Protein backbone atom coordinates (compact mmCIF):
# COMPACT_ATOMS: atom_id res chain seq x y z
CA UNK A 1 0.00 0.00 0.00
CA UNK A 2 1.30 3.44 -0.95
CA UNK A 3 0.44 6.43 1.23
CA UNK A 4 1.87 9.04 -1.14
CA UNK A 5 4.14 9.51 -4.14
CA UNK A 6 6.95 11.94 -3.30
CA UNK A 7 9.16 13.32 -6.04
CA UNK A 8 12.00 15.81 -5.85
CA UNK A 9 10.74 17.84 -8.81
CA UNK A 10 8.79 17.24 -11.99
CA UNK A 11 11.66 17.09 -14.48
CA UNK A 12 14.08 14.19 -14.95
CA UNK A 13 17.22 13.88 -17.02
CA UNK A 14 16.90 17.40 -18.32
CA UNK A 15 13.45 18.28 -19.55
CA UNK A 16 11.61 14.98 -19.32
CA UNK A 17 8.49 16.14 -17.51
CA UNK A 18 5.95 14.13 -15.56
CA UNK A 19 2.43 15.35 -14.95
CA UNK A 20 1.55 14.66 -11.31
CA UNK A 21 -2.13 15.36 -12.01
CA UNK A 22 -2.30 12.46 -14.47
CA UNK A 23 -0.48 10.08 -12.10
CA UNK A 24 -2.80 11.02 -9.24
CA UNK A 25 -5.87 10.61 -11.45
CA UNK A 26 -4.75 7.13 -12.53
CA UNK A 27 -3.62 5.86 -9.11
CA UNK A 28 -5.74 7.79 -6.61
CA UNK A 29 -2.60 8.14 -4.45
CA UNK A 30 -1.73 11.61 -3.12
CA UNK A 31 1.15 13.16 -5.03
CA UNK A 32 3.76 15.42 -3.41
CA UNK A 33 6.38 17.37 -5.33
CA UNK A 34 9.20 18.47 -3.01
CA UNK A 35 11.76 21.18 -3.78
CA UNK A 36 14.57 22.80 -1.83
CA UNK A 37 14.06 25.99 -3.87
CA UNK A 38 10.80 27.68 -4.77
CA UNK A 39 9.57 26.18 -8.05
CA UNK A 40 8.84 28.48 -10.97
CA UNK A 41 6.41 26.51 -13.15
CA UNK A 42 6.06 29.39 -15.61
CA UNK A 43 9.83 29.39 -16.22
CA UNK A 44 9.83 25.60 -16.68
CA UNK A 45 7.06 25.85 -19.26
CA UNK A 46 8.81 28.74 -21.05
CA UNK A 47 12.05 26.73 -21.18
CA UNK A 48 10.21 23.68 -22.55
CA UNK A 49 8.59 25.77 -25.24
CA UNK A 50 11.91 27.33 -26.22
CA UNK A 51 13.72 24.03 -26.79
CA UNK A 52 11.05 21.79 -28.22
CA UNK A 53 7.81 21.89 -30.16
CA UNK A 54 6.55 19.41 -27.57
CA UNK A 55 6.62 22.28 -25.08
CA UNK A 56 3.65 23.76 -26.96
CA UNK A 57 1.69 20.59 -26.19
CA UNK A 58 2.09 21.32 -22.48
CA UNK A 59 -0.61 23.97 -22.91
CA UNK A 60 -1.54 25.46 -19.55
CA UNK A 61 0.77 23.24 -17.55
CA UNK A 62 0.35 24.16 -13.89
CA UNK A 63 2.66 21.75 -12.14
CA UNK A 64 1.05 20.09 -9.17
CA UNK A 65 -0.84 23.13 -7.96
CA UNK A 66 -0.34 25.83 -5.39
CA UNK A 67 3.17 26.10 -3.97
CA UNK A 68 3.40 25.81 -0.18
CA UNK A 69 6.39 26.16 2.13
CA UNK A 70 7.40 24.91 5.55
CA UNK A 71 10.46 24.25 7.67
CA UNK A 72 11.12 20.62 8.55
CA UNK A 73 13.51 21.68 11.31
CA UNK A 74 12.73 24.66 13.52
CA UNK A 75 15.93 26.54 12.60
CA UNK A 76 16.30 25.14 9.09
CA UNK A 77 15.76 26.60 5.66
CA UNK A 78 12.34 26.48 4.06
CA UNK A 79 11.33 23.70 1.73
CA UNK A 80 8.63 24.02 -0.89
CA UNK A 81 5.99 21.56 -1.95
CA UNK A 82 2.99 21.08 -4.15
CA UNK A 83 0.35 18.47 -3.41
CA UNK A 84 -2.49 16.80 -5.24
CA UNK A 85 -4.99 14.57 -3.48
CA UNK A 86 -4.61 15.70 0.09
CA UNK A 87 -4.35 18.79 2.28
CA UNK A 88 -1.23 20.93 2.64
CA UNK A 89 -1.36 20.27 6.41
CA UNK A 90 -1.19 16.49 5.93
CA UNK A 91 1.59 16.94 3.38
CA UNK A 92 3.59 19.14 5.73
CA UNK A 93 3.38 16.41 8.39
CA UNK A 94 4.48 13.74 5.88
CA UNK A 95 7.48 15.85 4.84
CA UNK A 96 8.49 16.63 8.41
CA UNK A 97 8.12 12.99 9.49
CA UNK A 98 10.19 11.75 6.55
CA UNK A 99 13.05 14.25 6.91
CA UNK A 100 15.34 12.29 9.21
CA UNK A 101 18.89 13.52 8.65
CA UNK A 102 18.38 16.49 6.34
CA UNK A 103 15.54 18.62 5.07
CA UNK A 104 15.27 16.30 2.06
CA UNK A 105 12.53 13.71 2.63
CA UNK A 106 14.21 10.35 3.22
CA UNK A 107 12.54 8.59 0.26
CA UNK A 108 13.80 11.33 -2.09
CA UNK A 109 17.28 11.32 -0.53
CA UNK A 110 17.63 7.52 -0.78
CA UNK A 111 16.27 7.50 -4.34
CA UNK A 112 19.00 9.99 -5.24
CA UNK A 113 21.68 7.76 -3.71
CA UNK A 114 20.37 4.72 -5.60
CA UNK A 115 20.22 6.69 -8.85
CA UNK A 116 23.81 7.91 -8.49
CA UNK A 117 24.94 4.35 -7.74
CA UNK A 118 23.08 2.92 -10.73
CA UNK A 119 24.42 5.65 -13.01
CA UNK A 120 27.94 4.82 -11.87
CA UNK A 121 27.32 1.10 -12.42
CA UNK A 122 25.96 1.76 -15.92
CA UNK A 123 29.06 3.80 -16.79
CA UNK A 124 31.38 1.04 -15.53
CA UNK A 125 29.41 -1.56 -17.47
CA UNK A 126 29.54 0.63 -20.58
CA UNK A 127 33.33 0.89 -20.27
CA UNK A 128 33.64 -2.89 -20.03
CA UNK A 129 31.11 -3.81 -22.73
CA UNK A 130 32.57 -1.39 -25.26
CA UNK A 131 36.14 -2.32 -24.37
CA UNK A 132 36.95 1.34 -23.82
CA UNK A 133 40.52 2.03 -22.91
CA UNK A 134 40.89 3.84 -19.65
CA UNK A 135 43.61 6.37 -19.04
CA UNK A 136 45.50 5.95 -15.79
CA UNK A 137 47.43 9.20 -16.27
CA UNK A 138 50.72 7.33 -16.71
CA UNK A 139 50.97 7.79 -20.47
CA UNK A 140 52.90 10.98 -21.30
CA UNK A 141 50.78 11.39 -24.46
CA UNK A 142 47.53 11.32 -22.50
CA UNK A 143 47.77 14.73 -20.92
CA UNK A 144 47.96 13.11 -17.49
CA UNK A 145 44.21 13.11 -16.83
CA UNK A 146 42.92 10.10 -14.91
CA UNK A 147 39.55 8.59 -15.79
CA UNK A 148 37.21 9.40 -12.85
CA UNK A 149 35.96 5.80 -12.65
CA UNK A 150 39.55 4.56 -12.43
CA UNK A 151 40.41 7.15 -9.83
CA UNK A 152 37.59 5.82 -7.65
CA UNK A 153 38.77 2.22 -8.10
CA UNK A 154 35.70 1.17 -10.07
CA UNK A 155 37.52 0.03 -13.22
CA UNK A 156 40.98 -1.24 -14.01
CA UNK A 157 43.56 0.63 -16.10
CA UNK A 158 44.37 -0.51 -19.61
CA UNK A 159 47.24 -2.96 -19.76
CA UNK A 160 50.59 -1.70 -20.95
CA UNK A 161 52.36 -4.00 -23.24
Amino acid sequence: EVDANILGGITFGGFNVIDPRVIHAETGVPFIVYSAVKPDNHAVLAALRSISPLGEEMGDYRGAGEIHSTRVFREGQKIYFEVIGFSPGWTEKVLKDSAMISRIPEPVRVAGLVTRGLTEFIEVDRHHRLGLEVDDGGDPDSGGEVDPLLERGLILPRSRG
Side-chain angles (χ1 to χ4, degrees):
E1 185 177 321
V2 177
D3 293 329
N5 290 307
I6 303 175
L7 289 180
I10 57 165
T11 58
F12 298 91
F15 279 107
N16 298 304
V17 181
I18 60 108
D19 190 338
R21 293 176 186 282
V22 171
I23 295 172
H24 171 67
E26 290 186 10
T27 65
V29 176
F31 202 99
I32 301 167
V33 179
Y34 156 87
S35 181
V37 295
K38 189 171 184 177
D40 185 345
N41 292 332
H42 297 292
V44 169
L45 184 56
L48 284 169
R49 287 181 175 155
S50 73
I51 63 169
S52 169
L54 294 176
E56 292 299 324
E57 295 176 16
M58 300 291 289
D60 66 344
Y61 183 76
R62 297 167 290 166
E66 184 180 346
I67 298 169
H68 305 275
S69 67
T70 190
R71 295 183 198 286
V72 294
F73 302 116
R74 193 177 313 209
E75 303 297 322
Q77 294 178 309
K78 283 184 177 179
I79 62 165
Y80 299 88
F81 64 92
E82 300 167 83
V83 61
I84 297 172
F86 227 95
S87 72
W90 174 83
T91 304
E92 191 172 326
K93 181 175 177 356
V94 168
L95 293 171
K96 286 180 177 182
D97 288 350
S98 67
M100 297 177 183
I101 63 172
S102 74
R103 66 186 179 137
I104 302 170
E106 200 64 9
V108 174
R109 189 184 75 78
V110 171
L113 292 171
V114 170
T115 301
R116 283 189 293 281
L118 285 174
T119 301
E120 193 171 87
F121 173 78
I122 290 167
E123 271 301 301
V124 170
D125 182 62
R126 183 177 145 281
H127 269 75
H128 289 294
R129 271 187 303 104
L130 298 176
L132 297 176
E133 290 194 351
V134 178
D135 192 353
D136 65 2
D139 183 353
D141 296 329
S142 72
E145 291 188 29
V146 178
D147 186 292
L149 295 172
L150 174 68
E151 193 169 52
R152 294 178 61 200
L154 298 172
I155 55 177
L156 300 173
R158 65 178 169 220
S159 61
R160 302 208 186 277

